[in-house]
Amino acid sequence: MPISGLKNRFKEIFNLEAERSFFTPGRINLIGEHIDYSGGNVFPTAITFGTYAVVTKRNDKIVRLYSESFEAHGIVEVNLDTLVFDEKDDWANYPKGVLKMLLDAGYKLEKGFDAVFFGNIPNGAGLSSSASLEVLTGLIATTLNDVEIEMLDIVKLAQKAENEFVGVQCGIMDQFAVGMAKKDSAMLLNTNTLEYSYVPVNLEDNIIVIMNTNKRRGLADSAYNERRSQCETALNLLQSVEHKDYLCDYSLDFLEENKSLITDPLVYKRAHHAITENERSLKASSVLLENDLKSFGRLMNESHVSLRDDYDVTGIELDTIVQAAWDHPATIGARVTGAGFGGCAIAIVKQDSVDDFIESVQSTYSKTIGYKADFYVASIGQGAHEIE
């Protein structure tokens, strides 16, 4: 839906004119999965799909929220003075959480606003629709209230909202990626120090294809928190030999030397994934800087295998679609992206073969799984911004 259409919807819903427009992208992670909460290096990029909002500032402390993606919930109205989690508010708890964290951090939000949101990121696909909504809300609220704040601080508070208000123990990668992204670049982000650098992504005659398995994944209800806990167990055991702050601070050699400490084979596998995935992220940024796409594709493939075998977060849908991509001759590399448990995979594919690729992967996937996948050709987009 273009902005003009969204403004028309705003007028229908609120009987007012929308004054300003904002956009925050979704994200894909090219490599470095399930290590942002273990202090690892991740390698995300924003995509041109995302969340739009048209808004008008109010003269009171009321915030009225409406989403085209959740029409059944109608207008959710809240007061800036009384922001609490409420299950019946469903999707609106994400923006409510961000507003609460901004206020708790001492930022002055004197005025509320009316907002209509529209997202073209498939919900539950693992492309960070929640992080996109959170960072977008932070940008809207601070812009309308003339609050001086760095985007990085909005990002941190958005993550805090998801952790403490919504109750999902996500790392910072998703919010960071959608807030801080640059067009045509990926970001190598150290999730421990928050040091980051932009790495140009030159795909030459290839493109990124997002493959949505159409198996929805409910992150809060999934095994995400269990995986995080297993990584913390591994960290505590390794710290008894040599103290480091994060699991990804240890080398693979150190893990192997102290394998006997980790008596639970599942905990060992989780640690093995985290440490090797961190190494793959670092290699990935260096091979992309050298325009070595073939090596990058190989690292993507290895990442998927690790997420499948060591981390157990893929499942038949993702494994089927990635295997079908690997089997196609135009594929440079393919892997799950996001938290797994359903959602999306990505592939880098020769541009002149993309139609044949989609047809071939669709055929294999639908025969095996019994329903169709969706495919999106993605470009690397800009982070959160106001649309002039």
Side-chain angles (χ1 to χ4, degrees), residues 322-333 348-350 352-361:
V322 168
Q323 185 64 55
W326 287 342
D327 290 343
H328 196 279
T331 302
I332 306 295
I348 296 177
V349 180
K350 292 278 183 196
D352 58 9
S353 302
V354 69
D355 292 340
D356 184 69
F357 169 86
I358 290 171
E359 189 180 330
S360 170
V361 174

Side-chain angles (χ1 to χ4, degrees), residues 230 261-269:
Q230 288 165 331
L261 286 175
I262 305 175
T263 53
D264 184 338
L266 274 185
V267 171
Y268 169 77
K269 283 168 68 179

Side-chain angles (χ1 to χ4, degrees), residues 10 79 124 135-136 153 180 242 275 293 309 322 344 357 376:
F10 187 96
N79 190 305
V135 172
L136 181 59
D153 292 316
M180 304 289 288
E242 182 184 341
I275 290 168
L293 266 183
D309 297 347
V322 168
C344 290
F357 169 86
Y376 307 88

Side-chain angles (χ1 to χ4, degrees), residues 51 188 195 262 266 313 331:
T51 312
L188 181 66
E195 290 174 14
I262 305 175
L266 274 185
V313 293
T331 302

Side-chain angles (χ1 to χ4, degrees), residues 21 56 169 225 281 352:
S21 309
T56 291
Q169 295 307 307
N225 290 344
S281 289
D352 58 9

